Amino acid sequence: MSASEEIREGMTTLAKLTRQLDEEWEAEAKLIGEVSDAFDLLDVLIAAAAQEKKG
């Protein structure tokens, strides 16, 4: 295999890995957003329960 073929193969491998990392990071960001939304909802429910207990 020539040096240019090795470089081309290496670049293809790097491109594939970069794409996979991008997909993983996108999935992680979505999950973090969903967890954050769940905690926001939990805060609202706790506040509502505290209001009901006072009233």
Side-chain angles (χ1 to χ4, degrees), residues 7-47:
I7 291 169
R8 191 174 299 116
E9 187 176 307
M11 293 300 287
T12 300
T13 301
L14 283 174
K16 287 178 184 177
L17 289 173
T18 300
R19 199 170 324 138
Q20 289 173 349
L21 281 173
D22 187 50
E23 290 169 2
E24 286 183 36
W25 289 337
E26 188 176 322
E28 288 291 325
K30 182 180 178 186
L31 177 63
I32 289 170
E34 290 171 355
V35 169
S36 178
D37 290 347
F39 275 105
D40 290 345
L41 178 57
L42 182 60
D43 285 342
V44 169
L45 294 173
I46 290 170

